[in-house]
Amino acid sequence: MVSVDQALCSGCGLCMELCPEVFGWGAEGRATVLKQESETCNLEEISDQCPTEAINV
Ligand code: SF4
């Protein structure tokens, strides 16, 4: 299950840029998960790129 730890997300916007299908802007300028899967994005790779390690896949 994909999730964004709201306590860790800095709101940098990288995940939304890399995969707008799955990540969107949520409350207080942080990322939120819009859907649990994607055929076009590598979610594990995006998780690895998150600067605050806020994305769990
Ligand atoms: S890449 Fe990480 S820190 Fe940046 S918006 Fe997404 S979840 Fe938040």
Side-chain angles (χ1 to χ4, degrees), residues 3-6 8-16 18 23-25 29-32 46-47 49-55:
S3 64
V4 172
D5 187 328
Q6 297 296 300
L8 291 178
C9 176
S10 68
C12 73
L14 181 65
C15 56
M16 294 85 132
L18 294 173
F23 300 100
W25 291 109
R30 297 190 178 99
T32 191
I46 295 171
S47 170
Q49 290 187 52
C50 170
T52 63
E53 298 182 1
I55 302 172

Side-chain angles (χ1 to χ4, degrees), residues 24-45:
W25 291 109
E28 295 172 23
R30 297 190 178 99
T32 191
V33 176
L34 305 174
K35 58 185 280 201
Q36 283 296 319
E37 53 198 57
S38 169
E39 286 177 12
T40 52
C41 309
N42 184 331
L43 297 177
E44 287 190 8
E45 208 169 88

